[in-house]
Amino acid sequence: MRFADVLGHDAAIERLRRAAATQRLAGAYLLTGPAGVGKRLLADAFAARILCAAPRDDDACGTCAQCTRVAAGTHPELRLLERDEERRDIRIEQIRELSRWLALQPLMAERKVAIVDGAHCLSEPAQNALLKTLEEPPPSAVLLLTTPAAALLLPTVRSRCQRVRLDPLPPESVARVLAARGVAPEQATLLAAEAEGSPGRALASSGDEEVRARDAMVGALRTLRTLDAAALSTLAQDLARGPADGALAAAAAWYRDVLETRLTGDPPRRHPGAVAAVRAAADRSRAECTLRQLELVCDTINALDRNANRILAIETMLLGLRALERDDSPRQGPA
Ligand SMILES: [Zn+2]
């Protein structure tokens, strides 16, 4: 991965290029931005640039012995730390081991780089253990932390990192990423509109299973008022076991379309094939109610990002969405 391979995020890349070119590297960087926006890709590209033996145009060359090892995942001065799949957090033992490793002199390069992907998954004791390294970073060490939001980390940790904020990308850019991965242009435009500026999220929702989960979610939202608790519970379990992120993004996109159609009268941008259904939903609920439903979906997305219990979070959301819809009295004339 090189800077040249990262789509968008020009300002952030320029800043990191300059830091590497002038050898004024901070001991720790905190890359923030929504899930799937490209934080990990940028961290990988920055790590490659730092370790490259023959950088060209302020970017990793991609061909030297260092770059080859980085690409193969075998560079001895590069470590990746992330949450074990079966665990809810990154353990303190993992951080202690990483800190010991960072304190050793690099042998193969000028620097040692550690990427902590999903730093918000660090347990509080793990964050406190990391603090010691952040307070007195070994001169050769560079730590790259990624997280959806800086506020998810302890203030003491985030205040010792240089922040690099990645903003959502425009839909055209997201569609280009999808098209480059072989997604049909029409599907790419649809997914990009739903992805809220996150190519990773759009890519994650382009598979067959993901499409099924999104269809199940949107189908349920269209008939939510009539579904009983047992049906919602079954749906929550199905979604929680599968690709829930895409389904929740689809739910958020649905309510955004309903809200926009309700307020502007325009046809839905994200569901061009469901004009009648979106208009019907817009006609039968007040904007305040739809807005609260959208907030509930976004809160649930955030909760899952923080590793909440998936079934419980999704079932609670579905029940809440239905309660809002049932409580909302039919619209009387223009409102
Ligand atoms: Zn190189």
Side-chain angles (χ1 to χ4, degrees):
M1 182 56 54
R2 305 167 61 227
F3 286 137
D5 302 321
V6 179
L7 189 98
H9 308 310
D10 296 347
I13 290 176
E14 183 53 32
R15 214 177 115 199
L16 299 181
R17 274 183 200 271
R18 261 205 317 274
T22 55
Q23 286 289 317
R24 296 168 111 157
L25 293 168
Y29 293 85
L30 179 59
L31 281 64
T32 65
V37 82
K39 300 183 293 293
R40 173 64 192 283
L41 292 183
L42 186 56
D44 284 347
F46 191 29
R49 166 62 186 88
I50 292 170
L51 294 171
C52 175
R56 280 201 299 261
D57 301 329
D58 288 339
D59 201 351
C61 73
T63 52
C64 71
Q66 308 277 6
C67 282
T68 308
R69 287 196 183 90
V70 168
T74 56
H75 199 295
E77 310 301 354
L78 175 61
R79 284 263 179 116
L80 168 68
L81 198 64
E82 53 193 344
R83 177 171 63 89
D84 290 336
E85 219 162 77
E86 70 277 11
R87 288 192 56 101
R88 287 162 67 97
D89 52 19
I90 298 174
R91 290 166 293 124
I92 187 169
E93 293 78 20
Q94 291 174 278
I95 288 296
R96 286 194 179 127
E97 207 278 320
L98 186 76
S99 301
R100 281 195 294 272
W101 175 78
L102 278 171
L104 300 173
Q105 281 292 323
L107 299 172
M108 287 279 303
E110 301 277 307
R111 302 271 186 174
K112 296 174 92 88
V113 183
I115 298 173
V116 182
D117 195 21
H120 54 293
C121 297
L122 289 163
S123 66
E124 202 170 314
Q127 289 192 51
N128 282 319
L130 183 64
L131 201 52
K132 294 196 187 80
T133 302
L134 293 175
E135 282 167 343
E136 291 172 41
S140 60
V142 181
L143 260 165
L144 308 178
L145 313 181
T146 75
T147 181
L152 297 174
L153 296 175
L154 293 177
T156 43
V157 168
R158 58 179 192 255
S159 68
R160 283 175 174 80
C161 301
Q162 278 209 13
R163 297 259 187 107
V164 180
R165 202 185 74 184
L166 303 192
D167 293 320
L169 296 176
E172 312 82 68
S173 303
V174 176
R176 272 209 303 281
V177 175
L178 293 176
R181 303 287 183 95
V183 178
E186 207 166 290
Q187 178 84 344
T189 307
L190 259 179
L191 291 171
E194 240 177 46
E196 306 301 333
S198 165
R201 186 170 281 176
L203 271 175
S205 52
S206 63
D208 291 345
E209 204 188 335
E210 287 73 14
V211 170
R212 268 198 300 280
R214 288 162 58 244
D215 288 351
M217 172 62 96
V218 173
L221 296 184
R222 288 165 72 161
T223 54
L224 196 55
R225 202 178 283 249
T226 63
L227 296 178
D228 62 17
L232 293 183
S233 179
T234 305
L235 176 64
Q237 288 176 40
D238 287 348
L239 290 172
R241 271 196 293 271
D245 296 353
L248 290 176
W254 172 262
Y255 286 119
R256 284 194 173 97
D257 261 355
V258 172
L259 192 59
E260 283 176 16
T261 297
R262 176 82 177 82
L263 295 174
T264 67
D266 291 344
R269 288 186 294 138
R270 302 166 184 86
H271 299 86
V275 177
V278 172
R279 280 205 195 284
D283 282 343
R284 68 170 179 259
S285 39
R286 290 171 306 129
E288 294 83 351
C289 172
T290 309
L291 186 59
R292 287 183 62 195
Q293 289 175 311
L294 177 58
E295 283 171 353
L296 186 50
V297 174
C298 293
D299 288 347
T300 308
I301 291 172
N302 289 335
L304 292 196
D305 277 346
R306 292 192 304 268
N307 303 313
N309 178 311
R310 289 160 70 89
I311 295 181
L312 188 63
I314 294 172
E315 187 170 352
T316 305
M317 177 195 79
L318 290 171
L319 288 168
L321 293 174
R322 189 187 62 172
L324 282 166
E325 192 155 327
R326 282 183 173 173
D327 288 350
D328 196 29
S329 52
R331 183 151 62 95
Q332 305 291 323

